[in-house]
Amino acid sequence: MAAKNVLRRAVLYVPGSSQRFLDKSRTLTADCIAYDLEDSVTPAKKAEARKLVRKALDQELPPNIKERAVRINSVGSGLALGDLEEVVKSANLTTLVVPKVESASDLTFISDVLAHSRSRENLQERGQIGVLALIESAKSLLNLPEICRAAPHLLQGLVFAAEDFALDMSITRTPSLTEFLYARQLIATAARAHNLPSTIDLVATAFRGEGDEEALVRECEEGKRMGYNGKQCIHPSQVATVQRIFSPSDAEVEWAMRIVIAQKRAEEMGKGAWSLDGKMIDKPVEGKAERIVEKAALCGMDVEGLKEKW
Ligand code: 1VU
């Protein structure tokens, strides 16, 4: 799937039934805004939310937002078809977030509906739509290989929905998040094994209280260590912190840049393994350094400036 360089550090949900939130979202800076038609919208507001989201999508992409996605209702809800039929009409639809993906058939359904709607509406010339699949239950977790292989032309990433997972498993979320360790690691590993570029971690549901900012930082750092490259957000106040932590830090970029530059000299001297600051550097470490530099450039950091410095 061609989305290798997509940056989705923060994915901010915006309830699709709230014109106030939809308007506000246009003023924010975020990699990805996900207009929500699912859990933040009551059954009575579903139809209205579809229209509001379609209207929001039809507006020009605000300059500080890289991507707008739509979270539709789950295939099992019976509402997904109506959601898709409405939002697919927007020429600006690029990304769908699909909740409660339990098996391959959920994604083949989406794939079939998209193909059918596009041909019915004569929209075949539009660009490819990408899908992020929400993993929310024990069944989803165990079906990850078939889910990841179901629609390789659509699937761009996996997203962990901790609250629904906790409900499914009858467990309670704790600040340590140890109850989610297996699920978080399995999701990040499955995404990597199937070459899916986006791995989006759980939401921090507490956002206004004392200590919530510190907890958010901890969650982001832990998710990053597990292999996630982004996090779901529910409030604008979370976005800047999330995007900062899911970008390489200045220290990381500096370390990586020194390695990328010194590596050339080591190679000229015929050294596959060499040392920097008392630590061995070899091929995997050089590869890691190259990825950090690429990611920094993607995040808009001044990589060229650093190159000159070193
Ligand atoms: O004063 P202003 O109107 O200019 O701005 C407010 C408010 O409108 C805005 N804001 C948002 N804008 C866009 N998207 C948002 N999600 C959003 N949240 C707030 O920010 C300014 C300050 O807002 P506030 O602090 O007064 O916040 P409220 O008390 O109004 O709202 C708090 C909640 C949590 C209700 C709100 O942030 C929200 O609805 N968030 C999204 C919830 C959601 O989508 N849940 C489902 C996805 S999570 C999930 O399913 C896990 C997998």
Side-chain angles (χ1 to χ4, degrees):
M1 170 88 252
K4 189 169 171 277
N5 286 333
V6 73
L7 202 54
R8 296 185 177 115
R9 292 165 298 182
V11 176
L12 173 67
Y13 290 108
V14 179
S17 53
S18 164
Q19 191 61 55
R20 179 168 74 103
F21 287 164
L22 290 166
D23 288 344
K24 180 74 178 186
S25 73
R26 295 188 62 77
T27 69
L28 304 172
T29 297
D31 287 346
C32 182
I33 292 288
Y35 299 139
D36 188 29
L37 295 173
E38 203 216 9
D39 285 352
S40 69
V41 178
T42 59
K45 295 264 183 184
K46 295 282 187 196
E48 185 190 345
R50 275 181 194 154
K51 303 273 177 224
L52 293 180
V53 165
R54 161 82 196 285
K55 211 170 101 206
L57 265 184
D58 282 341
Q59 291 176 314
E60 220 174 291
L61 183 70
N64 295 329
I65 293 170
K66 294 192 173 62
E67 175 183 43
R68 285 174 300 187
V70 178
R71 181 166 78 167
I72 58 169
N73 287 282
S74 67
V75 172
S77 71
L79 296 167
L81 181 58
D83 292 344
L84 285 170
E85 283 180 339
E86 183 65 41
V87 296
V88 82
K89 289 182 197 146
S90 175
N92 296 328
L93 179 72
T94 58
T95 312
L96 290 168
V97 180
V98 181
K100 301 180 179 59
V101 174
E102 298 251 289
S103 62
S105 62
D106 288 320
L107 292 185
T108 47
F109 174 87
I110 302 289
S111 176
D112 291 347
V113 173
L114 285 178
H116 177 71
S117 313
R118 287 188 150 201
S119 97
R120 199 187 53 201
E121 309 265 344
N122 262 327
L123 304 173
Q124 292 92 327
E125 77 290 354
R126 298 254 176 96
Q128 179 67 56
I129 289 175
V131 165
L132 300 173
L134 272 154
I135 304 303
E136 315 202 22
S137 68
K139 184 176 171 190
S140 318
L141 208 59
L142 294 190
N143 284 343
L144 273 171
E146 67 164 80
I147 290 170
C148 290
R149 285 195 285 263
H153 58 297
L154 291 180
L155 194 63
Q156 294 183 357
L158 300 177
V159 188
F160 178 43
E163 306 316 312
D164 280 273
F165 185 74
L167 176 67
D168 184 51
M169 295 283 290
S170 297
I171 56 178
T172 302
R173 179 178 179 143
T174 65
S176 75
L177 302 178
T178 47
E179 58 283 356
F180 298 132
L181 189 59
Y182 176 64
R184 283 169 94 193
Q185 292 188 328
L186 196 56
I187 290 168
T189 306
R192 180 67 215 115
H194 293 87
N195 225 5
L196 305 176
S198 293
T199 41
I200 316 293
D201 203 6
L202 76 182
V203 159
T205 48
F207 61 95
R208 201 179 271 148
E210 201 179 324
D212 290 344
E213 172 66 15
E214 291 76 6
L216 178 66
V217 169
R218 267 198 313 278
E219 278 189 21
C220 291
E221 286 173 344
E222 189 178 74
K224 188 172 167 177
R225 284 199 299 275
M226 285 180 188
Y228 285 86
N229 50 33
K231 189 172 181 70
Q232 299 159 93
C233 301
I234 43 143
H235 194 273
S237 63
Q238 299 176 318
V239 172
T241 301
V242 168
Q243 297 207 161
R244 175 174 58 77
I245 298 175
F246 282 98
S247 307
S249 67
D250 289 346
E252 278 176 311
V253 181
E254 202 160 301
W255 171 84
M257 192 57 84
R258 287 174 67 202
I259 289 178
V260 167
I261 290 167
Q263 170 193 349
K264 290 200 182 74
R265 285 196 291 270
E267 208 175 305
E268 281 160 17
M269 291 162 76
K271 290 182 183 174
W274 45 286
S275 73
L276 183 79
D277 300 338
K279 292 198 180 106
M280 184 195 73
I281 311 293
D282 61 359
K283 209 167 165 44
V285 185
E286 291 166 0
K288 169 88 185 144
E290 280 162 17
R291 282 202 197 158
I292 290 174
V293 172
E294 278 167 24
K295 180 79 182 267
L298 197 61
C299 295
M301 296 169 81
D302 181 17
V303 171
E304 289 309 313
L306 270 172
K307 250 186 206 155
E308 276 162 28
K309 184 172 165 196
W310 291 101

